[in-house]
Amino acid sequence: MDSDGTRDTRGTHANSVPRPAGPPDAPAVPPRPARAPGMPPPPDGSAFLTWLRTPRPQALPGVWRFGHRPRPEQEPERIPARQLLSGALIAFLVGWLVWSLLWNGYLGGWWLLPLYAMVPDSWAEPHSFGAVVVVYAYYALVAGVIMVGVGRLGRWGEIWHRWGPPAWRRTPQREQRPPTPEADPATWPALRAAGAVDAAERLAADARAGLMRDVDHARIARAWQGVRNGRHSLAAFTGAVLRDGAAACAHPSGARDLSARQARHDLLTEQVRLGTTADDPRNPYAYRGTGLALGPDLLGTSLLAVGPAGSGKTGGVVRPLAESLCLHALAGKAAVIVVGAAGAGLGPADAYDVVVRIGHPDSVHDLDLYGGTTDPDEAAAVLAEALVGDLADPHPGSDSRRSTTVLAQLLGPFRAVHGRFPSVPELRQLLDGAPGPLAALRQGLTEAGQESLLRELDARERQMAHPGDIGGILADRVALLDRPAFATFFKSAALATPGQPRPFSPKALDHPVRVRVDLPERGHADASRLLARLVLAQFTASVTAREDRSLFACLILDDATGVVTPEAVRGIQRLRSANAGAVLTLRTLDDVPRPLRGPLLGATGCRMALSGLTPWDGQDFAEVWGKEWTEARDVTDRQIIAESPAGKAVHALRRAITGKAPTARAVTVRQVERERWSASELAHAVPAGHAVLSLTNVRGEHAPPLLVDLRG
């Protein structure tokens, strides 16, 4: 105690040693920040792990599998609300009446005989507690049996599920149990089973830390598939993963994602969502209200979309598919070529590895006129299809052999002399029969001793003298490309010089490459259609000749007007077996010759008719979709007229319950064959922003024509 009576507390707390008088304490130093000022917080891996662990059950073709909950194939019978409620009320009144009759003894005392048989006589004394409990329990049991019976009769359970608490939870959330380590995809169980435990631990750590994206997961899974197939070694794969983590096995461009996405993608199932299947009676019940998605398994049978301008072909179909295939290319699973008019909205330039801007002076890449081939016959066939394929007889069995022969008679000798194929001006001069180039070519063949090629050149010169020679038509078509705007384009690799656009050919589709070709629509419409045919012909020739077909290749033509020829239809038919596909869009089927419309619709496994279709276009779709057997019900109602007052009262009660006048109904049920979608329905019953789409995957599974909302 101090002298003044106060208690000294300086030694009662830990480390409270008296300090000498001095300057005041300096302010405490703030802790070091975890990141630099202005930097966003580190990413969290919970969103990626939730996406990865979301169930994706097997579903029908075209169903968006991400978080999908299957529905029964047949629609359950649904009773009208008024009839259901009135039936439930009548059942309750019947139960109440039966209980009242039993309780008041109008039906006798037989229902109490089981009670008398079970209760001993000693419990029947007045004011016996045991007797009261047993008797009232028996009453409750009998009342419960009555209520259960009338409840089943009045469908009380359906009322409970339709308007009770189960209906209040519109989207019931199932309890998600954490997956076991053996079944958790985030722990990479396949790598652990193969002995690459360190690589699996590194990938799992990056996923938890938020350093892994869906593209990274798909790309590394693709690389692991290459290890299992023997294309890559396990040591190289493990070393790359331990060194780079989620960035291992990167795309040659170094990109790990697109700068922006407009559609919903699920790279685990390789799907892109295009819309929602409408809740329409014409759609099968299992499809109603589900997401509609496409993937390589469906695009492998090719897709044809027909609709007028503004119906959503580019924004609702082409752009999402191009975006999805670019993501697959970044994951090492696909190669894609997107062809459309400049400024058509096919995605930003940074979403592609190669952007060919034909006719634009700042274009970095060029289009090889001969597709990168060194075979004169192959180059002649592809070039003939591009130049005059639309002039061939528009029947499935026709071809352009004469044009191919004419070009081969010139390309073969020219390559033998110069070691390359001719440029566009040189080819035009040869087709026009200019004496100077032909004489120089003949002299070169003579000096080289090419007797067989000299005979080819002689045959070409003889044919030039005939009035029906096709060489003049070929020269006119080549003249469309021999314009000042295209002076620096269409050069092969042998003619490429520094500072000029680098040529691209579909031979590069052996690698996961993303290509966009911008066609010069303004002022060069004929040249654009010629170039579109050239790209399609080169694509079908290249992908069908690939040795490694594990990479899915796809060509997207935003406008296929003037592109569909007999040879093009045959080429599309061959894509399915080459793990490739094509996406074609048309404003109308009138842009396709009449004899080729049926073969084109038959060659494509996925067919889409967008809103605004004309009836004659709808007729072609209705024919290819065929008919189906359906149940037709012919109902004949005859009103019943009551004569007696009691009958009138019964009819009034029946009208109050059902809302309809009492009738005697005769129903005739018969099986009839009707069109799935008629031409009139396709032309007038498809709402704006919707489309009717039928699907076929590469395994042969079909989906009937579905009404799809492309905006959902």
Side-chain angles (χ1 to χ4, degrees):
M1 303 289 289
D2 294 338
S3 59
D4 57 357
T6 61
R7 181 179 178 86
D8 185 10
T9 60
R10 290 177 293 175
T12 59
H13 300 283
N15 300 327
S16 58
V17 181
R19 298 180 180 178
D25 295 340
V29 178
R32 182 178 181 179
R35 58 186 180 274
M39 294 294 292
D44 183 13
S46 59
F48 171 76
L49 294 178
T50 301
W51 169 83
L52 187 60
R53 292 166 177 166
T54 300
R56 296 166 173 85
Q58 293 295 328
L60 297 171
V63 173
W64 174 253
R65 291 173 52 191
F66 180 79
H68 172 64
R69 293 181 180 177
R71 304 179 66 180
E73 295 185 2
Q74 299 295 331
E75 182 178 7
E77 183 181 359
R78 189 175 180 90
I79 303 176
R82 183 173 182 176
Q83 182 178 349
L84 184 63
L85 293 176
S86 60
L89 178 61
I90 293 175
F92 174 76
L93 295 177
V94 169
W96 191 2
L97 176 62
V98 172
W99 173 252
S100 178
L101 294 177
L102 292 176
W103 181 261
N104 294 306
Y106 288 101
L107 299 180
W110 56 269
W111 62 285
L112 297 174
L113 294 180
L115 176 64
Y116 297 151
M118 292 185 296
V119 176
D121 296 338
S122 59
W123 285 18
E125 297 177 0
H127 308 293
S128 173
F129 179 76
V132 172
V133 171
V134 172
V135 168
Y136 278 96
Y138 182 76
Y139 292 160
L141 176 63
V142 174
V145 171
I146 295 175
M147 296 307 292
V148 169
V150 298
R152 292 178 63 87
L153 182 65
R155 299 179 183 267
W156 292 359
E158 186 173 347
I159 295 178
W160 173 263
H161 289 290
R162 190 181 297 188
W163 293 293
W168 303 343
R169 300 187 296 269
R170 295 297 180 184
T171 55
Q173 298 294 332
R174 299 181 181 178
E175 183 181 356
Q176 296 290 340
R177 298 182 180 179
T180 61
E182 295 79 8
D184 188 2
T187 61
W188 297 85
L191 273 67
R192 297 177 185 274
V197 180
D198 295 339
E201 290 291 346
R202 174 63 189 275
L203 294 176
D206 285 1
R208 291 190 298 268
L211 302 177
M212 182 176 289
R213 306 182 181 97
D214 54 353
V215 180
D216 299 330
H217 184 277
R219 187 184 64 252
I220 295 174
R222 168 72 177 181
W224 174 249
Q225 184 181 4
V227 173
R228 295 182 59 185
N229 295 337
R231 292 195 300 268
H232 311 294
S233 65
L234 178 60
F237 172 81
T238 304
V241 171
L242 293 178
R243 182 178 62 254
D244 301 326
C249 311
H251 187 263
S253 65
R256 297 171 58 187
D257 203 349
L258 300 180
S259 58
R261 300 187 186 184
Q262 290 189 356
R264 292 185 60 187
H265 304 271
D266 185 21
L267 295 183
L268 208 59
T269 58
E270 302 181 348
Q271 289 183 317
V272 54
R273 180 163 179 164
L274 297 185
T276 303
T277 308
D279 189 4
D280 189 271
R282 287 169 291 195
N283 288 337
Y285 183 72
Y287 277 98
R288 296 179 193 173
T290 63
L292 193 282
L294 298 181
D297 59 333
L298 293 169
L299 296 180
T301 61
S302 298
L303 168 66
L304 175 66
V306 182
S311 59
K313 298 189 300 297
T314 301
V317 180
V318 173
R319 177 68 184 272
L321 291 179
E323 193 175 271
S324 175
L325 291 170
C326 286
L327 290 174
H328 293 333
L330 292 179
K333 295 183 177 181
V336 58
I337 300 179
V338 183
V339 182
L346 302 178
D350 58 3
Y352 297 90
D353 304 314
V354 176
V355 178
V356 182
R357 305 171 66 186
I358 298 176
H360 199 284
D362 297 333
S363 179
V364 180
H365 293 87
D366 185 13
L367 185 64
D368 192 341
L369 189 64
Y370 303 99
T373 183
T374 58
D375 184 4
D377 294 331
E378 180 181 351
V382 172
L383 190 57
E385 168 64 17
L387 294 176
V388 293
D390 58 329
L391 300 180
D393 186 10
H395 285 83
S398 63
D399 53 30
S400 54
R401 295 180 184 176
R402 291 182 57 194
S403 304
T404 303
T405 303
V406 169
L407 289 172
Q409 289 171 346
L410 295 175
L411 297 182
F414 192 95
R415 180 171 178 78
V417 173
H418 300 280
R420 60 177 177 83
F421 290 123
S423 62
V424 172
E426 292 172 337
L427 180 60
R428 182 182 181 184
Q429 290 178 351
L430 292 174
L431 290 172
D432 279 333
L438 289 176
L441 192 58
R442 176 179 295 278
Q443 181 180 357
L445 292 175
T446 303
E447 294 176 355
Q450 298 285 348
E451 297 295 336
S452 60
L453 295 178
L454 276 173
R455 290 194 297 269
E456 291 286 324
L457 192 60
D458 292 338
R460 175 86 285 269
E461 291 180 346
R462 287 194 303 269
Q463 293 171 3
M464 289 180 185
H466 296 170
D469 181 40
I470 199 173
I473 299 176
L474 291 171
D476 293 340
R477 289 300 178 92
V478 173
L480 296 175
L481 305 180
D482 190 16
R483 306 298 301 163
F486 308 140
T488 59
F489 287 87
F490 313 124
K491 290 182 171 60
S492 60
L495 290 174
T497 58
Q500 290 188 345
R502 299 189 298 270
F504 166 80
S505 70
K507 293 289 185 181
L509 295 181
D510 290 335
H511 308 283
V513 64
R514 304 166 294 167
V515 183
R516 192 187 77 189
V517 180
D518 292 344
L519 300 177
E521 286 286 348
R522 293 185 177 179
H524 303 281
D526 293 335
S528 296
R529 287 192 287 269
L530 189 153
L531 293 173
R533 289 195 300 271
L534 177 65
V535 175
L536 177 58
Q538 291 181 354
F539 176 81
T540 55
S542 299
V543 298
T544 54
R546 293 184 302 171
E547 295 183 359
D548 183 12
R549 298 183 177 181
S550 62
L551 202 68
F552 178 72
C554 187
L555 172 66
I556 300 179
L557 280 174
D558 186 38
D559 186 5
T561 302
V563 177
V564 180
T565 64
E567 186 61 34
V569 173
R570 285 192 289 267
I572 293 174
Q573 292 173 341
R574 294 192 297 266
L575 295 179
R576 181 171 178 176
S577 60
N579 192 23
V583 178
L584 310 178
T585 66
L586 291 169
R587 294 185 179 91
T588 173
L589 286 177
D590 287 339
D591 294 333
V592 179
R594 166 57 67 180
L596 292 179
R597 296 180 190 176
L600 176 63
L601 291 171
T604 54
C606 304
R607 313 171 189 97
M608 176 182 291
L610 288 92
S611 60
L613 211 67
T614 58
W616 42 92
D617 283 348
Q619 184 62 39
D620 292 322
F621 278 98
E623 291 179 359
V624 75
W625 282 332
K627 300 180 180 180
E628 63 178 347
W629 288 99
T630 184
E631 188 179 85
R633 299 169 62 90
D634 297 332
V635 181
T636 304
D637 289 336
R638 180 180 59 84
Q639 185 175 359
I640 303 175
I641 300 176
E643 301 293 342
S644 61
K648 294 181 179 180
V650 171
H651 286 187
L653 178 62
R654 183 174 175 181
R655 183 190 296 271
I657 295 174
T658 62
K660 299 179 181 179
T663 58
R665 174 172 296 181
V667 180
T668 303
V669 180
R670 54 194 178 91
Q671 294 290 329
V672 296
E673 192 177 18
R674 291 180 179 174
E675 292 178 332
R676 300 177 184 269
W677 279 82
S678 66
S680 178
E681 290 175 334
L682 290 173
H684 306 293
V686 179
H690 289 63
V692 180
L693 172 65
S694 65
L695 302 171
T696 303
N697 60 18
V698 294
R699 295 183 299 273
E701 299 173 343
H702 298 267
L706 306 171
L707 181 62
V708 180
D709 184 2
L710 298 178
R711 303 167 300 182

